[in-house]
Amino acid sequence: MRALRAPVVLALLLAAAPLRANSMVTHVWVAEQSIDRVTAPGLAAIVRDPALRAVIQNGAIYPDSGYSVRHEYGEWAHWESFHEPYLQWIRSRWGAEGYTSPDARRHVAFLMGNAAHGMTDQTFDQYFMHRVRTYDRTNADDLDVGSDTWLIVEHGVQSAADGQFWFDEMPMIHAAVNGPAVTPAVLREAAQLTGGATRFLTQFGWSLYTMRWRQMPWAASHYMDEGTPGAYPHLVRVNAAYWDFLWQRLQGTAPPGAAPLYSWPAPGQTNFPVDRTDVEARIEVTTPWGLDNASVSERTVRVLGPGDVVVPARVNRYGDHGNTLMITLAQDLAFNTEYRVELSAELRTLQGSLTGRANEIRFRTRCAPDRLAEQRRDGDDPDVAGELDRLRRQDRVGDHEFLHPRGGDARDRAARENPVGDVGRHVLGAGVEQRLGGVHQGAAGIDDVVHEDAGLALDVADDVHHLRLARPLAAL
């Protein structure tokens, strides 16, 4: 009976509609890979402590554990709606001492693991999975477990997370930060289910490997590709930058107007598509702050063209107080023209403070087709030539030697229908570009709304992460 429990649990987890996120193996892996990439010395001393490794791992699977018992804490624990009050709770108790006591250190470690889960979900979903739906012509519902099996089989990744969630302490923390009420018994059941299913997946995930590869060949051949937005190397770098910013928030030194952690297009990117229906033409921006829903509007998030003319579009917000904005253009852009995404200084953080400084991401669209033809007659094919200057920073999981040269032959990436990495000079956002270093159904399906005054119409993608519920922002 006991031997049957793990596969039965895994089957239940995989069949449950809410549990469509990067599966737990990926979440633990991203958190662990982020450890050596944080730059803040105080935080590095905590997350690199071997005694706290299990705490980080369990923090990374805590949000999805709620889905295993169909409890509302699962959705809530993904987002800044939990991270911010929990961070302030930690700060109020141990900020003065500098987070040096054992209790302070373990809570900081758990916060980082938990925050990694939400950041990984929204980055993978909105940058990578969004493309998978187009290139693999699938709804990508199986991508989460599929990418876990690729990680397990191709890179030998395992997960040691045991689901020990401080059964007696977490209910008190939930109450202290006004979260969903939970009991020790519920957490014990969630730990047993989630931990058992994760261990079973690491042992038997190979059985799903080929099926998922054939189902999603573009995803399988790009999930580790440096040139693809939202691929695993980017998840690690974005999360490490997020951890550093959370540490600043714990210190009370985080600048409200901090630049985005990651974006598509990246600052200064060129050759951006002009066709609004192109999957690569959707704009995505990930901020280091959880933003107050009420402050996100057509006034505070805009796309501007020459002469500061507003480009009609709609903006979605991911998750409950998530960090990622998705901007869908409602009209085509002009060829070879500079545009900018503007995040207003009037955006508010969950702390209630104004960001206080506007941020912008400037980019330039591609040349017209006849102009590109002239350039090709005068020089190298821009697609292959762009590859010559590219360095592959991570070839496989476990590599700590980045910057491996990568070939320039276009045949090396025949599966790529649209070579994302070649359409711009950068693939990283401003917050992580200097650093070396998914996840669930996204906000697709919300009705397009184009503001009549050519402003930016707003839909908050409160799709409740896995539950696929969406509602428009009431403030409009």
Side-chain angles (χ1 to χ4, degrees):
M1 185 72 176
R2 189 177 184 82
L4 290 175
R5 183 165 179 77
V8 169
V9 167
L10 180 60
L12 290 172
L13 289 175
L14 299 185
L19 193 68
R20 287 194 177 132
N22 277 124
S23 284
M24 276 73 74
V25 175
T26 290
H27 284 300
V28 172
W29 179 83
V30 170
E32 289 182 332
Q33 292 291 307
S34 301
I35 288 172
D36 290 333
R37 291 171 176 78
V38 297
T39 61
L43 178 59
I46 294 174
V47 297
R48 293 174 190 167
D49 183 349
L52 295 173
R53 184 64 58 90
V55 176
I56 295 173
Q57 293 172 342
N58 286 325
I61 69 171
Y62 186 67
D64 276 356
S65 72
Y67 296 131
S68 70
V69 290
R70 300 188 179 276
H71 195 287
E72 61 181 323
Y73 86 79
E75 183 63 32
W76 168 76
H78 277 80
W79 310 117
E80 288 260 5
S81 48
F82 171 50
H83 306 153
E84 170 61 20
Y86 183 36
L87 183 152
Q88 295 301 332
W89 182 85
I90 295 171
R91 187 180 176 204
S92 68
R93 282 157 179 75
W94 299 290
E97 65 156 47
Y99 310 106
T100 57
S101 67
D103 279 345
R105 290 165 63 85
R106 69 182 175 89
H107 278 286
V108 170
F110 190 82
L111 169 66
M112 296 301 162
N114 192 272
H117 189 119
M119 182 56 68
T120 298
D121 273 353
Q122 57 190 299
T123 308
F124 187 76
D125 248 29
Q126 298 309 319
Y127 293 81
F128 189 82
M129 185 180 283
H130 168 64
R131 289 165 168 82
V132 172
R133 294 189 186 102
T134 295
Y135 297 143
D136 280 327
R137 301 178 182 178
T138 174
N139 60 17
D141 283 354
D142 296 321
L143 177 60
D144 314 310
V145 173
S147 57
D148 257 20
T149 65
W150 304 331
L151 196 62
I152 292 165
V153 174
E154 296 177 358
H155 304 286
V157 172
Q158 301 289 306
S159 173
D162 58 14
Q164 299 303 303
F165 299 134
W166 309 335
F167 305 128
D168 295 322
E169 189 175 7
M170 287 306 296
M172 177 271 295
I173 294 172
H174 279 229
V177 301
N178 296 316
V182 67
T183 66
V186 167
L187 292 178
R188 286 190 177 91
E189 182 182 6
Q192 184 178 20
L193 292 171
T194 307
T198 302
R199 289 189 296 273
F200 186 80
L201 183 61
T202 59
Q203 186 174 358
F204 297 104
W206 56 267
S207 63
L208 298 172
Y209 172 85
T210 301
M211 180 192 306
R212 297 296 181 248
W213 224 109
R214 290 173 175 170
Q215 180 184 1
M216 297 170 286
W218 185 89
S221 58
H222 287 78
Y223 79 104
M224 277 291 180
D225 179 30
E226 284 278 356
T228 301
Y232 277 32
H234 297 299
L235 303 183
V236 173
R237 284 192 293 273
V238 173
N239 185 66
Y242 184 44
W243 278 7
D244 279 334
F245 195 80
L246 288 174
W247 181 249
Q248 287 185 281
R249 287 161 63 175
L250 282 165
Q251 307 298 319
T253 60
L261 296 173
Y262 189 44
S263 68
W264 178 264
Q269 183 168 312
T270 58
N271 294 330
F272 194 76
V274 298
D275 182 354
R276 69 185 185 279
T277 66
D278 189 329
V279 67
E280 301 299 337
R282 193 181 75 166
I283 296 168
E284 295 116 5
V285 182
T286 300
T287 71
W289 289 99
L291 299 175
D292 180 4
N293 285 342
S295 72
V296 182
S297 73
E298 71 277 8
R299 293 190 310 104
T300 55
V301 181
R302 304 189 297 173
V303 179
L304 302 172
D308 287 345
V309 174
V310 176
V311 178
R314 65 179 172 90
V315 60
N316 288 342
R317 259 287 299 279
Y318 192 71
D320 181 17
H321 300 299
N323 306 66
T324 298
L325 302 167
M326 299 83 70
I327 303 169
T328 303
L329 301 173
Q331 71 178 32
D332 293 346
L333 303 179
F335 286 110
N336 194 24
T337 301
E338 184 173 279
Y339 292 86
R340 75 178 193 271
V341 181
E342 181 185 78
L343 305 182
S344 169
E346 296 181 15
L347 285 167
R348 289 186 178 275
T349 71
L350 288 187
Q351 288 182 315
S353 61
L354 293 173
T355 56
R357 182 171 71 87
N359 277 286
E360 64 178 29
I361 301 164
R362 292 182 178 269
F363 64 96
R364 181 172 286 274
T365 54
R366 64 184 290 263
C367 294
D370 57 344
R371 178 62 179 156
L372 288 175
E374 291 174 8
Q375 290 177 346
R376 281 196 290 272
R377 285 196 296 271
D378 294 338
D380 294 329
D381 185 321
D383 185 49
V384 177
E387 195 84 322
L388 295 176
D389 294 328
R390 182 181 299 162
L391 294 174
R392 187 169 182 82
R393 293 179 179 139
Q394 182 171 351
D395 289 335
R396 60 188 182 274
V397 177
D399 272 357
H400 298 289
E401 298 297 327
F402 290 82
L403 303 174
H404 298 300
R406 187 180 181 186
D409 192 336
R411 292 172 299 178
D412 291 341
R413 38 178 177 72
R416 179 180 293 185
E417 297 181 43
N418 186 344
V420 180
D422 295 325
V423 299
R425 296 181 313 200
H426 310 292
V427 294
L428 300 181
V432 295
E433 186 164 357
Q434 302 304 319
R435 311 173 65 86
L436 293 180
V439 198
H440 34 266
Q441 196 69 12
I446 297 177
D447 292 338
D448 291 1
V449 181
V450 180
H451 203 274
E452 291 181 357
D453 64 2
L456 197 72
L458 175 70
D459 281 328
V460 174
D462 202 3
D463 70 336
V464 197
H465 189 51
H466 308 293
L467 300 184
R468 301 183 181 181
L469 302 177
R471 62 174 183 266
L473 187 65
L476 287 180

